[in-house]
Amino acid sequence: MPAYAVIGGQWGDEGKGKIIDYLAADASIVARYSGGNNAGHTVINDLGEFKFHLIPSGVCWPQTINVIGNGVVVDPDGFIEEIRDIESKGIDPSTIVISDRAHIVMPYHVRLDQLEEERRGKDAIGTTGRGIGPAYLDKVARSGIRIGELLDMEDLALRLPDIIERKNEVLTKIYGADPIDIEDIYARVREWAPELSSFIRPVEDLVAAAIENGENVILEGAQGALLDIDHGTYPYVTSSNPTVGGALTGLGLGPRAFGGVAGVFKAYCTRVGAGPFPTELTGELGERIRNIAGEFGATTGRPRRVGWFDGVAGRYSARVNGFDSIIITRLDILDNVDSVNVCVAYELDGERIEQFPIDSVLLERCKPIYETLEGWSGTTAGITDADDLPAGARRYVEFLESLLGVEAAIISTGPRREETITLKPVIS
Ligand code: IMP
């Protein structure tokens, strides 16, 4: 059955947007299943350069339907802004549908995210400040607002006073902040309803019918496995499940729908925000890679922390997701580096370990054990045929494959759609 998940194998920012735009040539649906506009997917193709936060990365292909699933939380203002942006670049937004069950990120969620980060002080998670955690919190607490409720404003108007009253208790009594004005919230909701209503509908049958027809459906991961609320480096994680399970619950799919699960890995590692990062390069080399690679957040502009490829974390990620292929991105960034380190194990309290410790306190104490590979001279940038890769670059990819125990399907050698080497099909 032909649903293919494309999932971040690290801490997000692996280049999933570019890969999904490339693969979507053969898809009839591209569906986001988790996260919100904390994501930033960069896509560069003949139509221009895009940074998608909520809109699925298949939108540049006219034959695709682009689904925002029930597992996503939607900031209506952010969504409307993105729609205007793609329209200004000549892309038809009518291919986008939002599940009526996706929850809304309300303005008070954004405020609460920021207040809670301030309250955490030195223990701040370094969230994107987009209200993602508080929106999921309300979903689980059963006090969230689903986007389908915009289609029935009468019922929503009945629910809102109680919701706002409780939010104001939290804002004023816990955070000592100003209360929100219910009239302002009403006004926002009234503005959103006509702008969004044409996008909102149930999506489960749409996706299921495509799969039953044998059409290809790409399940677009956001963030990465190590930011997963259950399987990531808790509490320094996001509030959803970027791992493969999230694709099932976030779209209403059964496991037999899957044709494959591909893990996207950068040729090195990055992380934005706080939390353990065993292979982090804090010195001059890290700074150099950050600048060469332009490692600054697509959503917040924050400098990303940079480090060597972490094979222990990568193996863990491959296991919790069941990757049957990996996709290596940004290989060109390591061009002309004399030698490249890859973390193959950790040292924890004097002992060598090969399992990823899921406890962040333990992970903080882990020291990377590296294997050093010779670098390669010459450039991999823009190469489209594996035979043209420098021998050292090929050896590097093979090393990562054997470390993770998964074959590589694609190597990305630049940000543009065509700067791609296909080794084996991800979609078959
Ligand atoms: P939140 O998702 O905004 O709550 O942020 C929680 C953590 O996830 C922070 O460390 C963020 O930097 C990180 N995060 C959220 N979205 C992304 C992303 O798309 N790429 C990389 N890190 C992210």
Side-chain angles (χ1 to χ4, degrees):
M1 290 289 246
Y4 297 89
V6 178
I7 293 176
Q10 296 159 321
W11 281 283
D13 307 317
E14 297 92 352
K16 297 176 290 293
K18 177 235 156 125
I19 297 298
I20 288 160
D21 171 62
Y22 173 74
L23 293 173
D26 297 320
S28 65
I29 294 185
V30 176
R32 267 280 301 269
Y33 59 82
S34 71
N37 63 344
N38 48 350
H41 291 176
T42 305
V43 165
I44 306 177
N45 56 37
D46 293 344
L47 300 173
E49 180 166 344
F50 304 86
K51 282 204 196 318
F52 299 128
H53 299 285
L54 275 165
I55 293 181
S57 302
V59 78
C60 295
W61 292 97
Q63 87 288 355
T64 58
I65 293 174
N66 293 279
V67 172
I68 297 178
N70 59 280
V72 177
V73 287
V74 177
D75 178 323
D77 289 327
F79 178 75
I80 291 165
E81 203 178 302
E82 276 188 68
I83 292 292
R84 301 222 162 104
D85 180 55
I86 62 165
E87 273 180 325
S88 75
K89 292 171 178 157
I91 292 178
D92 173 14
S94 72
T95 67
I96 300 169
V97 291
I98 308 177
S99 163
D100 52 354
R101 295 179 213 175
H103 277 246
I104 301 182
V105 180
M106 296 292 286
Y108 50 78
H109 291 137
V110 178
R111 184 81 191 104
L112 286 166
D113 191 3
Q114 291 159 357
L115 288 166
E116 182 60 12
E117 279 287 88
E118 280 165 29
R119 194 196 62 81
R120 285 189 186 111
K122 67 172 183 31
D123 296 324
I125 287 164
T127 71
T128 58
R130 297 290 171 103
I132 305 301
Y136 279 113
L137 187 63
D138 272 355
K139 172 177 174 173
V140 175
R142 291 155 296 181
S143 48
I145 300 173
R146 303 211 281 193
I147 207 153
E149 292 183 64
L150 294 180
L151 303 178
D152 182 357
M153 293 288 284
E154 270 179 39
D155 268 7
L156 183 55
L158 293 177
R159 284 188 65 216
L160 264 180
D162 182 49
I163 292 174
I164 303 299
E165 191 185 317
R166 279 187 289 154
K167 287 300 161 210
N168 277 339
E169 294 222 354
V170 174
L171 282 165
T172 56
K173 294 188 182 155
I174 296 190
Y175 295 104
D178 291 338
I180 39 176
D181 180 359
I182 188 161
E183 287 309 322
D184 286 349
I185 298 288
Y186 272 135
R188 300 289 282 279
V189 167
R190 274 195 300 266
E191 273 167 35
W192 294 335
E195 295 244 29
L196 296 183
S197 57
S198 66
F199 296 100
I200 303 169
R201 54 175 284 193
V203 300
E204 295 75 16
D205 286 350
L206 180 80
V207 177
I211 291 172
E212 273 161 30
N213 274 340
E215 294 166 33
N216 294 322
V217 175
I218 296 177
L219 313 176
E220 172 170 355
Q223 289 83 46
L226 303 173
L227 288 173
D228 186 282
I229 184 76
D230 288 288
H231 303 293
T233 52
Y234 190 89
Y236 301 100
V237 290
T238 191
S239 297
S240 65
N241 289 113
T243 50
V244 68
L248 302 182
T249 54
L251 285 162
L253 287 176
R256 281 189 296 276
F258 277 88
V261 185
V264 188
F265 290 84
K266 232 178 247 192
Y268 49 96
C269 273
T270 59
R271 174 165 203 165
V272 207
F277 184 6
T279 63
E280 182 167 12
L281 289 163
T282 48
E284 191 269 328
L285 182 59
E287 189 68 42
R288 204 167 80 210
I289 295 178
R290 175 165 37 253
N291 288 327
I292 294 173
E295 290 289 2
F296 298 89
T299 298
T300 59
R302 290 180 290 177
R304 295 182 184 139
R305 299 156 69 194
V306 172
W308 293 118
F309 190 92
D310 186 337
V312 184
R315 265 197 308 264
Y316 168 78
S317 173
R319 187 168 58 75
V320 295
N321 284 295
F323 291 146
D324 48 27
S325 63
I326 56 170
I327 293 169
I328 310 283
T329 62
R330 309 223 67 184
L331 186 61
D332 51 303
I333 298 302
L334 299 180
D335 286 351
N336 301 311
V337 174
D338 292 338
S339 58
V340 186
N341 285 343
V342 177
C343 172
V344 294
Y346 296 147
E347 188 196 303
L348 176 62
D349 303 334
E351 267 187 53
R352 179 187 170 103
I353 59 164
E354 295 191 356
Q355 299 292 328
F356 187 67
I358 203 44
D359 179 338
S360 277
V361 177
L362 285 186
L363 188 58
E364 223 28 290
R365 296 216 304 269
C366 286
K367 305 219 167 14
I369 299 174
Y370 287 120
E371 205 151 306
T372 301
L373 280 74
E374 232 178 86
W376 54 91
S377 55
T379 178
T380 62
I383 288 182
T384 54
D385 186 336
D387 292 339
D388 296 336
L389 285 173
R394 264 205 306 274
R395 271 198 303 275
Y396 185 65
V397 171
E398 283 160 14
F399 189 82
L400 300 187
E401 290 180 312
S402 71
L403 191 60
L404 269 51
V406 188
E407 274 182 48
I410 289 176
I411 301 170
S412 170
T413 57
R416 299 188 62 83
R417 190 189 274 167
E418 61 277 10
E419 292 171 320
T420 309
I421 301 171
T422 298
L423 303 167
K424 63 171 193 163
V426 169
I427 294 180
S428 45

